[in-house]
Structures are given as structure tokens and as C-alpha cells.
Amino acid sequence: MKNIVVVGSQWGDEGKGKIVDWLSEQADVVVRFQGGHNAGHTLVIDGVTYKLRLLPSGIVRKGKISIIGNGVVVDPWALLEEINEIKSKDVQVDTNNFIISESANLILPFHREMDEIREDTAGKGKIGTTRRGIGPAYEDKVGRRSIRVMDLRSEKNLDERLESVLLHHNAIRKGLGKKIFEKNQLKKDLLKIAPEILKFSQPVWLKINQFKRQKKKILFEGAQGVLLDVDHGTYPFVTSSNTVASSAATGTGCGPNSINYVLGITKAYTTRVGEGPFPTELKDNIGDLLGTRGKEFGTVTSRKRRCGWFDGVLVRQTIKISGIDGIALTKLDVLDELNEIKMCVQYELDGKKVDYLPAAVEDQLKIKPIYKTFPGWKTSTKGIKNIDELPDNAKNYIFSVEDFIETKISSVSTSPEREDTILIENPFEI
């Protein structure tokens, strides 16, 4: 038995969906452990595109159990909409293959509104959130006033919990000159969908313990990337949860000894959605080319992603922070047309050389990248499945990345299709 955690080693959007889908073929259970419907995975299987936001990637495979853990914040209406959407593509979603933690916290309409209000009034200080209510929902969780899945079981309990959370939110709304939020209609709306949510509800910590005893292979699926971690990312331009691999234990209710291997998904260049520091960002024709060839638009919001060269310093840093054992390098084929390719190998800050990203945002914004330049290969790598068939310059780039980040590259992706993968090391078979 081997249990694997998959995390993004950059700012998210590294192509986790395809890799998790490929790994889920070998897994028995696939679990989401943090984030919400702000992070999307796009899967392309047999020419059919699936865009998942809350549902774990394993849901598209028969015979797999998919779980939403307690560390995820769940918009119940968005979840039901996604379930109906995926069912329309002949994917099974029922109590036999899908579980939601009874302890998962709910995203409610006033969370979404608060997210929008803050972003619209923040001016230059805006974070660039997806406006899905993720941050405000996590705030209520930490503030011990949120509504959890289990609260939908009792109308009396739900009424009391709504009273508590709206006391907080309506005070803020009044202060901002916004209309107060009415409880009764929201309670009615929640009770209407409660049976559809509750039928999937179980104590996830107990189920995972059972699966471990049964020697099932568990795949823990992270959302976003390590650089968006609320503790270790480019704060305050981060998400509201911990995106590092250790959150798989906290966000599902299993011990850290349940994790046997951490796989970091890493794009062959770098992208970022929203605001915040981005040392290797390219605001030129090459940046536009990467965005066009890589189809760099958000799965959830369709926002255009910022593009730049591969930042080896940052990836080496996130590998250490998240305990990454191996790297799945994605979107190599996007670099095919370039005459030369650059990798950031050091930074300059106030005239001094530094080999890590400082924690202070003012320093992060001042950082200047120092590059190592590689010749491009100027030929298509799309669909190649054997590393020996890659052009020499492509292999040189891959091995140079591997040496610099001090971690083995276990696979290389050469197109969005699942089968177009160069497998060097299978995490489930080590």
C-alpha cells in the first residue's frame, strides 16, 4: 500500500488534473483536502473535456471512491450544479462512490458578497480572488461561527447557527452601508437542498481509517499551489488555506504517517493568476506566446494567466517546504517554438545575491531574477512518450531543471491528453 499526496509546486494551474487523473487509475480512493470551488481541474479523456471545481478528479473513473474532506469549504449549490453537470456526461455520482465530510464548512451567499465587496473596495490592495467566497468562509471557520454540513440535519440548530454568523456579517455590512442579510429565506433555501447534501455526508476520518485497514491506495489531491499557501506563500497575495502537502492529514483527519510520497506538479515555465509578486513574469511577446500556446486561462474564472520563465529558485524552495519527493513536469511542448529558454537560478535584491524568496512582500516585489539560458529545440515534442525520443536540447533542459531543484523528475507531460506522458518513475510502485 502507498498513499500519495499531489500538490502544485508553483502558484497553481500546473496541470494537476491530468496527473491526478492518471494516478487515480491506480488508486482506490481520491480525496480533496483543502480549498473550494475557486480551483479548477481540466481533464481530457478520450476527447471529452471535464472541468471539475469541487469534485475530486477520481470521480470520472468507475470503481473509485471520491471524497471531499473537512479541510474543503463547500458551496452546496455549486456542488449540486457540478454533480448534475458531470452526470450529464454519463459520469456516476452517488452514495457508493462519493462522500462529503460531515465537518466540511459551507460557503453561503453572504460569503460570496463579502468577497466581492472587499475586492471592489480594495483598490490597489486587491488580492485578485476568484470572488467565490472562499476567504470569508475560512474566516468564519476560524472564528467558530460557520455552518457545517452536519448543521443541515436540524432546523433548530441551523436557525441558531445562522443567527450567530449573521450577527457578525450584518454588523460589517451595516458599517459598509450594505443591506443586511435576511436569515429566513436562506434557511429555507438550505433546508430545501439539505437532503441532497446530507445523503453524501459521513465522518471522513473514520472512512479513511477503514480504507487504510483495507490496504486501499489513497490519492490526496491538493488545490492551487504551495506559493498560494496562507503561511508559506507570497502573503498577502495568497489563498485562505494551507496548500502544502501536510494539509492532507489535517484536511481529512488522518495522521501524517498516512502519507508515503509527495508528488509536486510543476509547469515547465511559470504562471500566476491574480495579483502579487512574480519575479520571472514576461510582459512581452514571449509571455504572450506562452499564454497562447499553453491556453493559459483559468478553469473556473477564464481569467488570463500571467506567464514567465521557469523559476528554479521558487520551485526548489517549495519542494523543501512541502516535502516533495518527485516532480511531474508539465507542458514541456509549450516551449517547442522558442529559440532560447531561460531558468531563474538566483535573485538580486538591493544589489545582493539571494537564493530564496524572502517573506516580505516589499522584498518580493523588488526581486530581480538572474537567469541561465538554454538553447531551444525548435521541434515538436507533443505526444512523445519516451524520454529518449526527445530532442537533445529538451533533455538537457529537463536534466538541468532536475539538478537545480535537487529533486527527481518522475514524469514529463507532452500534451493535455492523459496518455501523452513520459513516465520515468511511478510513485505508486516505488
Side-chain angles (χ1 to χ4, degrees), residues 15 26 64 70 78 93 106 200 214 226 253 285 382 393 410 417:
Q26 305 167 68
K64 312 295 179 182
N70 56 274
V93 184
L106 299 182
F200 298 115
Q214 294 165 2
V226 176
N285 292 337
K382 187 173 182 179
N393 286 348
S410 62
E417 295 290 340

Side-chain angles (χ1 to χ4, degrees), residues 20 45 69 81 88 120 168 202 213 318 323 333 368 413:
V20 170
I45 304 171
E81 182 182 335
S88 72
D120 290 340
H168 171 82
Q202 293 193 50
R213 286 174 177 272
T318 61
D333 55 304
K368 294 178 181 177
S413 175

Side-chain angles (χ1 to χ4, degrees), residues 10-233:
Q10 294 154 307
W11 277 290
D13 310 309
E14 299 96 347
K16 290 186 291 296
K18 169 185 168 174
I19 304 299
V20 170
D21 170 58
W22 170 70
L23 287 169
S24 68
E25 187 173 25
Q26 305 167 68
D28 302 301
V29 183
V30 183
V31 191
R32 272 284 306 272
F33 59 85
Q34 51 76 221
H37 64 311
N38 55 336
H41 289 341
T42 301
L43 311 179
V44 182
I45 304 171
D46 298 328
V48 180
T49 299
Y50 303 94
K51 293 192 175 183
L52 304 177
R53 297 167 288 280
L54 265 172
L55 292 171
S57 298
I59 201 72
V60 299
R61 291 193 172 280
K62 291 181 180 179
K64 312 295 179 182
I65 297 171
S66 293
I67 298 177
I68 291 178
N70 56 274
V72 179
V73 285
V74 178
D75 182 322
W77 294 279
L79 175 60
L80 293 176
E81 182 182 335
E82 188 173 336
I83 288 172
N84 289 331
E85 181 185 318
I86 204 82
K87 278 184 171 181
S88 72
K89 297 187 177 183
D90 296 323
V91 174
Q92 173 190 345
V93 184
D94 57 32
T95 55
N96 294 312
N97 73 334
F98 180 52
I99 300 170
I100 307 172
S101 171
E102 60 182 3
S103 303
N105 292 258
L106 299 182
I107 301 171
L108 300 175
F110 52 80
H111 291 131
R112 294 193 297 270
E113 290 182 19
M114 184 56 65
D115 216 352
E116 291 170 354
I117 290 167
R118 286 177 176 169
E119 281 291 279
D120 290 340
T121 58
K124 289 183 179 179
K126 69 177 180 177
I127 302 298
T129 76
T130 56
R131 298 169 178 256
R132 296 296 194 272
I134 311 297
Y138 273 116
E139 286 178 41
D140 281 347
K141 174 182 177 177
V142 174
R144 301 180 294 277
R145 57 180 171 263
S146 69
I147 312 296
R148 300 196 288 175
V149 169
M150 66 181 74
D151 294 323
L152 299 177
R153 294 175 188 156
S154 159
E155 181 176 349
K156 180 177 179 293
N157 181 60
L158 179 60
D159 190 85
E160 291 173 356
R161 299 300 302 153
L162 285 171
E163 196 77 42
S164 172
V165 72
L166 286 175
L167 182 68
H168 171 82
H169 277 270
N170 280 336
I172 296 173
R173 292 170 75 98
K174 282 180 184 176
L176 294 171
K178 302 295 180 181
K179 185 179 177 182
I180 67 166
F181 206 96
E182 295 294 340
K183 178 187 71 174
N184 290 335
Q185 185 59 50
L186 176 57
K187 184 176 75 169
K188 204 176 290 184
D189 292 342
L190 282 169
L191 290 172
K192 184 179 178 181
I193 64 168
E196 284 300 303
I197 299 295
L198 288 172
K199 71 181 182 183
F200 298 115
S201 172
Q202 293 193 50
V204 161
W205 66 269
L206 185 60
K207 294 302 296 182
I208 288 183
N209 186 59
Q210 290 174 4
F211 295 144
K212 285 166 60 180
R213 286 174 177 272
Q214 294 165 2
K215 305 296 184 185
K216 291 187 181 296
K217 294 178 181 177
I218 305 172
L219 181 62
F220 297 92
E221 175 184 6
Q224 293 115 355
V226 176
L227 291 168
L228 291 175
D229 185 278
V230 70
D231 286 304
H232 301 288

Side-chain angles (χ1 to χ4, degrees), residues 9 261-267 315 318-319 324-330 401 405 407-412 425:
S9 70
Y261 188 97
V262 179
L263 180 67
I265 315 302
T266 307
K267 199 174 286 187
V315 172
T318 61
I319 285 169
I324 292 171
D325 298 299
I327 290 293
L329 192 69
T330 64
V401 166
I405 62 176
T407 303
K408 185 174 182 62
I409 291 177
S410 62
S411 65
V412 181
E425 178 180 271

Side-chain angles (χ1 to χ4, degrees), residues 180-403:
I180 67 166
F181 206 96
E182 295 294 340
K183 178 187 71 174
N184 290 335
Q185 185 59 50
L186 176 57
K187 184 176 75 169
K188 204 176 290 184
D189 292 342
L190 282 169
L191 290 172
K192 184 179 178 181
I193 64 168
E196 284 300 303
I197 299 295
L198 288 172
K199 71 181 182 183
F200 298 115
S201 172
Q202 293 193 50
V204 161
W205 66 269
L206 185 60
K207 294 302 296 182
I208 288 183
N209 186 59
Q210 290 174 4
F211 295 144
K212 285 166 60 180
R213 286 174 177 272
Q214 294 165 2
K215 305 296 184 185
K216 291 187 181 296
K217 294 178 181 177
I218 305 172
L219 181 62
F220 297 92
E221 175 184 6
Q224 293 115 355
V226 176
L227 291 168
L228 291 175
D229 185 278
V230 70
D231 286 304
H232 301 288
T234 48
Y235 190 91
F237 301 97
V238 291
T239 194
S240 302
S241 61
N242 287 110
T243 60
V244 291
S246 53
S247 292
T250 310
T252 60
C254 66
N257 61 347
S258 300
I259 300 167
N260 308 115
Y261 188 97
V262 179
L263 180 67
I265 315 302
T266 307
K267 199 174 286 187
Y269 49 104
T270 311
T271 61
R272 176 167 199 168
V273 172
E275 309 300 319
F278 186 171
T280 63
E281 183 174 11
L282 295 169
K283 298 180 179 179
D284 58 13
N285 292 337
I286 295 177
D288 291 339
L289 177 68
L290 293 174
T292 301
R293 283 184 55 80
K295 296 184 173 65
E296 297 296 351
F297 296 92
T299 299
V300 172
T301 62
S302 297
R303 288 186 297 176
K304 185 178 179 182
R305 295 173 187 143
R306 299 153 64 190
C307 298
W309 293 120
F310 182 81
D311 193 329
V313 179
L314 272 185
V315 172
R316 186 174 60 187
Q317 185 167 326
T318 61
I319 285 169
K320 290 176 168 60
I321 288 169
S322 207
I324 292 171
D325 298 299
I327 290 293
L329 192 69
T330 64
K331 292 198 169 186
L332 181 73
D333 55 304
V334 174
L335 305 178
D336 287 350
E337 294 183 4
L338 298 174
N339 292 316
E340 62 179 26
I341 297 160
K342 295 183 180 182
M343 174 172 68
C344 177
V345 294
Q346 206 171 28
Y347 297 133
E348 184 181 310
L349 176 62
D350 297 330
K352 296 180 180 178
K353 304 285 178 63
V354 291
D355 57 4
Y356 67 96
L357 189 71
V361 68
E362 58 263 35
D363 289 338
Q364 294 172 356
L365 291 167
K366 287 192 294 183
I367 283 284
K368 294 178 181 177
I370 298 171
Y371 291 114
K372 181 176 181 180
T373 303
F374 300 86
W377 41 92
K378 299 291 289 181
T379 186
S380 177
T381 61
K382 187 173 182 179
I384 290 178
K385 301 177 182 63
N386 187 318
I387 197 161
D388 293 330
E389 295 174 12
L390 287 173
D392 287 342
N393 286 348
K395 285 188 281 190
N396 181 49
Y397 178 67
I398 291 167
F399 296 141
S400 296
V401 166
E402 184 177 68
D403 287 344

